Amino acid sequence: MAVTVKECLELQLIEVEMLLSMFPKKGEVNLNEDAVPSVQRYLRNTDGALPPQLEYAVTIDVGEAKVKVELQVLLPHTYPHVAPQLFARSDALHRQQQLELNTHLASHMSSLDSGELCICEAVQWLKDNSLPYLENSKISSESASEKVAVKETLRRMWIYSHHIYRQELRKKIFGCAKKLNLTGFCLTGKPGVICVEGLREHCEEFWRVIRYPSWKHISCKHVENIETDGNVDDLRLFRAFEDLQFQAHGDYGLRNDYHMDLGQFLEFLKQHQSGHIFQILFDVEGKLSD
C-alpha cells in the first residue's frame, strides 16, 4: 500500500507543477506553503507518517467580464486512483446556480477514465462551461430586484351598518380581522361602524366573509388605497383591531335602542387623522362633543 501511495503522491506533485505553470500569477493557485514540502519529505522517507492531504484552490477568469470562479481541491492520498473532492464556487453565483454547476461538474468528472490525473481537466471544464450559470444567476438577481420593487397597496375600508349588537356577529368580525392581520376598529351599537386596514386582498376577503350570507343593513361607504414601495404597516393609522364602545345617550344599556355618542366617535376619528370620514359615514359635518 505504501508503494501505491508513494506513486500517487508523486503524480499529485507533477500535476501541481503543471497547474503552477498554467497559472503563474500570484493568487491563481492558492496552495499552503508547507503542502508540497510535506509531501516531498514523505517521499524521501516513506517510513514516516503520511503527510496532510494536498489541498489547494485554482481561480480562473470566465467570460469577457473576467468573472472569477474558484475550484477548491482536496486530494485523497491515493488520488488519482480514487476521485478527488472538488467544489466550484463564485461570489457571482447564487446558491441554486452553484449547486447546479457542481452537480454537472461531478457528472462530467465521473465520465472520465479512472486512474488518470484530472484536475487540469476540471479547470478546463469550468472555463468552458461556467458562463451559462453566471448568466442565469444575473437574470435571477435582476428578477429578484424587480420583485422587490413591486409596489404593495394598503387598503382602508369604512363600513357602515344600521346597528351591530349580536355577539356571534362581533365574534365573526374580530376573528376574521385577526386572521387576516387587519387593524382598525368595530364600533358596537347603533349605528355600527367598522374600519379595516391592511393588504388590499385581505380587506377584500374580510368584506366578503362578513357581508354574506345574511347581513342586509351594511354598506361600504368609503375605500382608501395607498401604494407604497416600502412596508404597508408604516401606513396604518391603527396599531390593532379595537373594540370601540362609547357612552350612550340616555340610560338604555346595550339594547336595540342603544345610540352611540357620535361626538366621542368624531373625536376618536380626529385622533387617528380620519375626521373627514365622519361626514362620509353620516352625510353630516361633524362637531366635537363638549
Side-chain angles (χ1 to χ4, degrees):
M1 182 67 178
V3 174
T4 303
V5 169
K6 180 176 182 295
E7 292 174 348
C8 289
L9 293 177
E10 288 173 341
L11 290 171
Q12 291 179 26
L13 290 184
I14 291 171
E15 188 170 47
V16 168
E17 291 297 325
M18 292 170 56
L19 288 167
L20 288 171
S21 66
M22 293 169 57
F23 300 94
K25 294 180 182 178
K26 185 178 180 180
E28 289 184 317
V29 178
N30 187 3
L31 184 68
N32 186 290
E33 62 181 18
D34 193 48
V36 171
S38 295
V39 176
Q40 291 172 334
R41 285 194 294 271
Y42 174 78
L43 292 176
R44 289 194 295 267
N45 179 17
T46 55
D47 292 334
L50 286 171
Q53 293 179 330
L54 270 179
E55 185 174 4
Y56 54 89
V58 182
T59 301
I60 60 176
D61 294 330
V62 176
E64 295 181 2
K66 303 292 185 183
V67 178
K68 295 190 180 302
V69 177
E70 181 182 84
L71 177 65
Q72 298 173 347
V73 180
L74 177 62
L75 302 180
H77 289 123
T78 51
Y79 165 80
H81 292 290
V82 299
Q85 295 182 32
L86 305 177
F87 183 77
R89 63 168 304 279
S90 173
D91 292 338
L93 287 172
H94 291 306
R95 183 177 180 180
Q96 182 60 35
Q97 278 80 28
Q98 191 160 273
L99 175 62
E100 292 174 0
L101 176 63
N102 279 284
T103 298
H104 292 140
L105 172 62
S107 176
H108 173 71
M109 299 308 291
S110 66
S111 70
L112 303 177
D113 293 335
S114 60
E116 299 292 332
L117 295 171
C118 63
I119 305 304
C120 292
E121 171 63 26
V123 170
Q124 189 60 48
W125 188 91
L126 285 174
K127 286 179 70 73
D128 295 339
N129 295 277
S130 295
L131 190 58
Y133 301 92
L134 295 166
E135 290 173 344
N136 288 340
S137 185
K138 182 180 180 181
I139 291 170
S140 297
S141 295
E142 292 172 351
S143 176
S145 298
E146 289 174 3
K147 290 179 182 178
V148 170
V150 171
K151 291 185 177 181
E152 288 190 315
T153 300
L154 175 108
R155 172 163 290 187
R156 189 176 298 117
M157 300 180 69
W158 299 91
I159 300 167
Y160 177 89
S161 176
H162 180 265
H163 62 268
I164 300 176
Y165 293 115
R166 291 185 294 115
Q167 288 300 320
E168 61 269 26
L169 178 58
R170 296 179 70 249
K171 183 177 180 181
K172 183 178 183 181
I173 292 168
F174 281 87
C176 189
K178 181 179 180 181
K179 179 181 177 182
L180 296 171
N181 191 31
L182 300 176
T183 50
F185 63 84
C186 174
L187 175 63
T188 302
K190 183 180 180 180
V193 178
I194 303 169
C195 172
V196 287
E197 58 178 4
L199 290 175
R200 178 176 54 193
E201 55 270 26
H202 290 174
C203 288
E204 290 172 352
E205 175 67 8
F206 176 86
W207 178 235
R208 186 190 66 80
V209 170
I210 68 162
R211 187 180 181 185
Y212 295 104
S214 58
W215 197 343
K216 298 178 181 178
H217 303 291
I218 185 175
S219 62
C220 182
K221 289 275 191 171
H222 185 60
V223 174
E224 300 171 68
N225 291 312
I226 309 172
E227 284 192 341
T228 178
D229 292 327
N231 191 336
V232 294
D233 291 340
D234 297 334
L235 301 173
R236 294 179 188 260
L237 298 179
F238 304 92
R239 297 298 98 190
F241 191 78
E242 301 181 47
D243 182 4
L244 206 58
Q245 297 186 34
F246 296 117
Q247 181 180 359
H249 285 300
D251 187 20
Y252 300 114
L254 195 58
R255 305 196 314 243
N256 286 350
D257 53 0
Y258 182 74
H259 291 261
M260 283 298 174
D261 186 333
L262 296 183
Q264 293 182 38
F265 180 50
L266 173 60
E267 189 170 3
F268 171 82
L269 290 177
K270 290 190 173 184
Q271 289 172 357
H272 292 83
Q273 297 84 52
S274 302
H276 62 287
I277 297 296
F278 191 91
Q279 185 172 4
I280 295 173
L281 290 172
F282 305 112
D283 298 319
V284 296
E285 185 177 350
K287 295 182 180 180
L288 287 174
S289 60
D290 295 332

